[in-house]
Amino acid sequence: MKTKMIYIISMACMTGTLSAQTVVDYSTFEQKVLDYSQTLKQSVAQRTAMQKAMKAAKTAFFPAVDATGSYQYRINKYEMDFGGMAVPMEHDSYSAEVGVSQPIYAGGSIYHNYKASQIQTQMADKSVDLTTDNIIYAAEASYWGTAAQKEMYETMCQYVQIIEQLTKVLQDKYDDGYISKTDLIQMQTRLKEAELQRSSSYQSYQVALQNMNVLMGLEPLAEMDLTDSISTILPMPAFVGAETALNVRPDYAISQLDVDYQKRQVSLAAAKYNPSLSIGFKETWGTQMLNISGETMFNSNVYASIKLPIFHWGARFKSTAAQKAILLGKQYALQDKQDQISKEVAKAWTSLTENTRQISIAEENCKLAEENLDLNTFSYTEGKLTILDVLSAQLTWIQAYTNLIQSYYEQKIALADYRKATGIRYLGQNR
């Protein structure tokens, strides 16, 4: 990444320890985050629930077997009058019934309810993919953000070393009476400013590491270091158009399924007012209706039940109209999602190509800043420039490397944006 910044940082430069026992590259970090993510586990559990609900909805097609029982005990004495003859009735009565029922036609409610549950299962499956995409994106942002913070901290360490070396030179010159104390004080002030910036960079780096640990399910203060630096070169993906992205984006698939689900809701609203037919068989055992002797008997029945809705004050029309209005809103939302994805793909590609180009510019600027700092420092020691020229060159140097680190980070995030916008991982391309 740098021409003159390839060095091993002295432990004296650290304000804390960086001797991490856990070293992770991005691929390992991503997998650990996915393995631990509670959000992903919730999404998977929701998918399992929808799968079970779909299986439960399917059982409505099959015959149902039910068993019921009842027992009554009359406290007061009762005698039934049979043509002037009083016959005492038994105090208790009881029965047990087993029935088998089979819906023949339920107005389409069973069918549409089952199809709706299938769509919900598909939506839950796509929700798992969408959650996975969001977690991967968050992992990329966290890893490369931490890598950028680490690089910034290392850069600030070298910045402090550069100023320290020159400060020692000025101290010697001042002690020998070659320069005024003003030059020395200005350089000492710059050194303290640099040390404060280094401390701030270290703090940001440590907080970023803690956030990574939490994403992996580790203790926030667990020691860790990164294998991949912010300057790691990642392969550039091929251009993917919006149409291709629409075919693989899970959020777009969810919007499509949402429209299909609402169509089933329209059919279900109408199904409540369609004719229905069911048949069944009942076997009953218990005391007789007029329980005189307490004797029991079996009673077998075969039945057919039909329901013909006739008049409900326009409820069918109003219910379906309400569901159709919701359906229209879902269709508008689907079109809006399509437009949104088209914009995301175009923006992500533009950002990726431009940010990649900016890295080369930032690298060239760093080389110029290096040369400018060397020349100004040398000219100052030779008495040809003032201390202000050196201070200005130092600021230019740190700003150039800050811009370079930012360019690398923005390019990594742009790449993550493009992968998410186009659904590259579903196309089988290298991530």
Side-chain angles (χ1 to χ4, degrees), residues 235-254:
M236 286 287 290
F239 175 76
V240 176
E243 184 176 352
T244 302
L246 290 174
N247 294 328
V248 295
R249 281 275 295 259
D251 51 345
Y252 185 71
I254 290 174

Side-chain angles (χ1 to χ4, degrees), residues 281-297:
F281 170 79
K282 291 182 179 180
E283 180 70 31
T284 305
W285 172 85
T287 57
Q288 301 180 37
M289 182 179 297
L290 299 178
N291 189 10
I292 300 175
S293 62
E295 295 180 354
T296 60
M297 64 176 293

